[in-house]
Amino acid sequence: MKKSLLILLLSQMILLSAGAQNKFSLTGKITDEQSNPIAQATVHLLNTNTGTTTDDKGNFNLNNLYPGAYQIEVSAVGYAIINEAITINNADNKIQLTLRQTSRQLNEVVVSAQKSEEDLQHIPVSITSLSAKQVEAYQIRNTKDLSAMVPNLYSADPGDKRNVTSIRGITTTSYNPAVATYIDGVNQFNLDTYISTLFDVERIEIIRGPQGTLYGRNAMAGVINIITKKPTNRTEGFASVDVGNYGLQRYTAGVRTPLVKDKLFMGIAALYDRMDGYYTNEFNNSHYDRQHSVLGNYYIKYLPSSRWALTLNVKHNENRNNGAFPLVPGINEAFDNPYKLSQNAITTLMDNVFNASLSLNYAGRAFNFSSQTGYQSNYRYYSKPIDADFSPIDGISIINDYGKKWNHVKALTQELKFSSPAAITSSWKWTAGSYLFYSNSPGKQTTRFGNDAEMVVEDIQDKNFSLINTTKAKSTGAAFYGQATYAINKQWNITAGARYDYEHQKQNIRGEYQHDPDPKPMFDYRSDTSAAIHFSAFSPTVSIGFNASDNNLLYATFSRGYRVGGLTPLSSDPSQPALYPFRPEYSNNIELGAKNSFWNHKLIWNIAAFYSTISDAQVPTLILPDAVTITKNTGRLTSKGIETEVMAKLFKGLEVNASLGYTDAQYNNLKIAQGDAEANLKGKRQLFTPDVTSMLAMQYTRDVKSKQNIQLVVRGEWLYTGMQYFDLANTISQKGYSLLNAKAGITTKHIGFMLWARNLADKHYTSY
């Protein structure tokens, strides 16, 4: 904390010294192609806190600007976003910009993938960016809905909304994800604390390939960067209602408004959704996975000056799932008797996620500075014992409702970042910073073996007893990173960076035996024991970019990422040692790519080829019935492939989006235990990794009454997910399958009505 205060004091001293320099203004006008003024257009200088909206005559004014080269972004409802380079070099600068209708031109996309606002087409990394309109058009309600829409990305929900996500053959196999998720700049620390449901989204950025330098731990496959909508000087609100079969209901509403123009802003958004579920529990003939949830997203933003911005953001998610994990024993049973199961232990998963962040941003003459403080927590438990044998017998159940002292995960993060100023006056652009975290995960879980335990566990000598496992796990860490780009000339640039991470983990465990009817434990089957581990990681990156023209970029990139190591938890299997250390997993990636824009930004075509190696691969072993994952470093993996994306406005009103990804991910070495022996599964394919992902979407928008902004919208989507495996030995597989989605409706400037359908062909497939 002392270090943070010192940095803030230093930045203020530099700010005061810079204040004596001359500051200029920028005035301008925004018009359409017929030179008509556009009112209420949003004008923003990238990487600054400076922005405004146009008046009724399309005019705007920005003051207190330092001289230099800027990027200005302009957006307005019904028009394509533009991003133009401007130069501020005198006291009175004037510009005029023209916007084209979205029916004629694609948006120029600005992303913050490299922790600064940049044009997506000029970044030497594979990135997919989905705008708010695309998120709505694709009906993306959860991060798992990104499967096949993004090349070489696969995501599935095992039943509790903690999605398993894979990018380019690098997949989540434990509570430490392989794909890092950021929401409004805050790292969602682990699978317990992140919110997978999406609403009020401004855009989603999916960065493919290791991102260890800028993002650090658990970004070895890539990053999903989610940005929600922010309040501006324009008061706006929204409300939507979705109703469908299976009892689907979804209600969202929100408002964003200035409390004091140019100074104080507020944003509130809320969501309530529910569904009856797809499954029927034949044990009592009830809906099994009936669930509902409430989410909120709240903003307060304060601009004390044109240089400073202070933002407080709070998010929460209360999810109630009456039937998590709709699982049956065997893939044949799942398809022979679809959407039916029989479980006697019926419960509700209580999921309570709370996220808060406080960010401070300064945009100056010498540098930009930001501080991002985040707090995350999740109190997660089952209201009653949950079925662990997935059958109607009194076999095995799991209990974890022991009050807020247990199963209440908390994480505190702090990132400090310095970067080059928005007013570029040199050939260098740079970013440097530090990241600190603290995590506390106290867990208590009981595995109860009931009266029919011998029907589930072979050679068991007891019944009606419980094994009570308690774990106190804490971790702390620190990281320091830096990355810089040097423009050799107008065509060539080179980027290099590195990050150093250090982490310390400590874990206390205890295993107790309890026999019915005595509620008190009789003895410790595993005495109170503790262990600690620490490790570090070095994550470099380097890339070379060649701008053949303003609209064509060729690049080559090397990047490294890592997934953290740790200590194995206590399980009910005495043959699996607890507190066994496993090392971090590392990925190295080489990527060659090209980004191209044609026909006055009416066609975008991006393509990339990659080759990745994963060393010290963390291979999971699922211990049943308590569903504990034991992790060991026993594998080496090679993943290679290609991906491409095309976006086009073929003619007025018709937009086409297509993507294709191919991944060949095989283990070069994979040793796992099989009974009393060891098997090497060399050559086996990575699990949760389809060999092909493909998507084709076409949307036609026709003006019915242009003066009233009434439009007819028709959309169709085809998604293909290729061959994949669900176990390391590749004995459980699924052939490729296609899904067809469609929607049609009428929209006006302020309201719309849509009919939509997903999986029109009623395709049955395994997702997890």
Side-chain angles (χ1 to χ4, degrees), residues 574-726:
S575 67
Q576 298 291 341
L579 302 181
Y580 183 87
F582 57 93
R583 300 182 300 277
E585 181 181 69
Y586 298 94
S587 63
N588 297 293
N589 181 76
I590 297 174
E591 180 177 319
L592 303 175
K595 295 186 175 184
N596 307 280
S597 175
F598 304 100
W599 302 335
N600 199 19
H601 215 69
K602 292 183 178 180
L603 172 66
I604 292 176
W605 176 45
N606 298 337
I607 186 171
F610 63 90
Y611 181 87
S612 301
T613 59
I614 294 86
S615 58
D616 285 329
Q618 297 173 2
V619 178
T621 300
L622 183 64
I623 305 299
L624 295 176
D626 40 353
V628 170
T629 299
I630 302 297
T631 305
K632 296 182 180 179
N633 301 97
T634 60
R636 292 197 308 272
L637 179 76
T638 297
S639 179
K640 54 185 179 292
I642 192 169
E643 54 200 27
T644 185
E645 293 179 291
V646 175
M647 292 145 281
K649 294 280 189 181
L650 295 182
F651 54 83
K652 183 179 179 180
L654 180 63
E655 181 172 343
V656 177
N657 290 269
S659 67
L660 173 66
Y662 169 75
T663 299
D664 177 15
Q666 297 185 45
Y667 279 96
N668 307 106
N669 185 55
L670 177 58
K671 296 179 180 180
I672 63 172
Q674 287 188 346
D676 297 329
E678 184 180 72
N680 191 342
L681 302 180
K682 178 181 178 180
K684 298 297 182 181
R685 303 282 177 168
Q686 174 69 301
L687 69 165
F688 302 122
T689 303
D691 58 352
V692 175
T693 56
S694 183
M695 184 272 295
L696 173 63
M698 302 181 70
Q699 178 168 312
Y700 178 67
T701 304
R702 180 181 178 85
D703 290 329
V704 179
K705 292 185 177 181
S706 57
K707 292 184 178 180
Q708 287 79 25
N709 292 307
I710 300 176
Q711 295 180 322
L712 173 67
V713 179
V714 180
R715 181 181 180 86
E717 297 168 2
W718 170 80
L719 295 97
Y720 177 77
T721 302
M723 180 77 176
Q724 64 173 314
Y725 299 92
F726 296 99

Side-chain angles (χ1 to χ4, degrees), residues 396-408:
I396 304 171
S397 57
I398 302 295
I399 304 166
N400 70 352
D401 184 8
Y402 291 99
K404 279 195 171 183
K405 179 181 178 182
W406 300 101
N407 306 309
H408 195 173

Side-chain angles (χ1 to χ4, degrees), residues 5 45 190 201 311 324 327 495 519 545 758:
L5 292 175
L45 293 183
N190 57 34
V201 171
T311 304
L327 305 177
T495 299
R758 307 183 76 167

Side-chain angles (χ1 to χ4, degrees), residues 326-380:
L327 305 177
V328 295
I331 196 168
N332 291 331
E333 182 172 339
F335 280 97
D336 292 342
N337 195 25
Y339 307 111
K340 295 184 184 297
L341 47 78
S342 184
Q343 298 183 17
N344 66 312
I346 302 169
T347 186
T348 300
L349 171 61
M350 315 291 284
D351 209 0
N352 306 280
V353 182
F354 177 84
N355 287 356
S357 65
L358 179 66
S359 63
L360 178 67
N361 291 277
Y362 164 70
R365 171 62 172 161
F367 60 83
N368 287 354
F369 166 75
S370 70
S371 168
Q372 182 84 275
T373 305
Y375 171 78
Q376 303 164 48
S377 72
N378 185 14
Y379 177 39
R380 181 187 184 92

